[in-house]
Amino acid sequence: MRDAIRANRVAVSCDERVSEADAAQLLGLHPGTLKNLRHQGTGPPAYRIPVAGSRISYRVDDLAAWVEARRH
């Protein structure tokens, strides 16, 4: 996940949160899909704290844990 952040030059807050659009990109999802997952309660934990112009943000560690939990 951290390699993808560096490679895509994703803006990360000091407490390691990324915008909703960047989170979707890192997860390989369409932003609308990530939003739907958030509304359904099945996506990674989200925060209503702005990052890089987005009202919704995600902690990098939460994204990685969400991916790992879905490994087969």
Side-chain angles (χ1 to χ4, degrees):
M1 184 74 59
R2 301 214 189 277
D3 290 338
I5 289 170
R6 279 189 289 277
N8 292 298
R9 294 186 167 175
V10 171
V12 179
S13 70
C14 62
D15 60 348
E16 298 200 338
R17 286 178 296 106
V18 297
S19 71
E20 187 165 36
D22 287 337
Q25 178 185 8
L26 292 168
L27 295 172
L29 299 173
H30 185 276
T33 301
L34 183 56
K35 182 178 179 178
N36 288 339
L37 290 170
R38 178 169 48 86
H39 286 285
Q40 294 168 4
T42 58
Y47 298 85
R48 289 196 179 274
I49 302 170
V51 170
S54 174
R55 292 185 316 133
I56 302 297
S57 60
Y58 294 85
R59 286 184 55 233
V60 173
D61 288 343
D62 290 340
L63 296 176
W66 187 79
V67 168
E68 286 299 314
R70 278 141 192 81
R71 278 181 63 181
H72 297 269

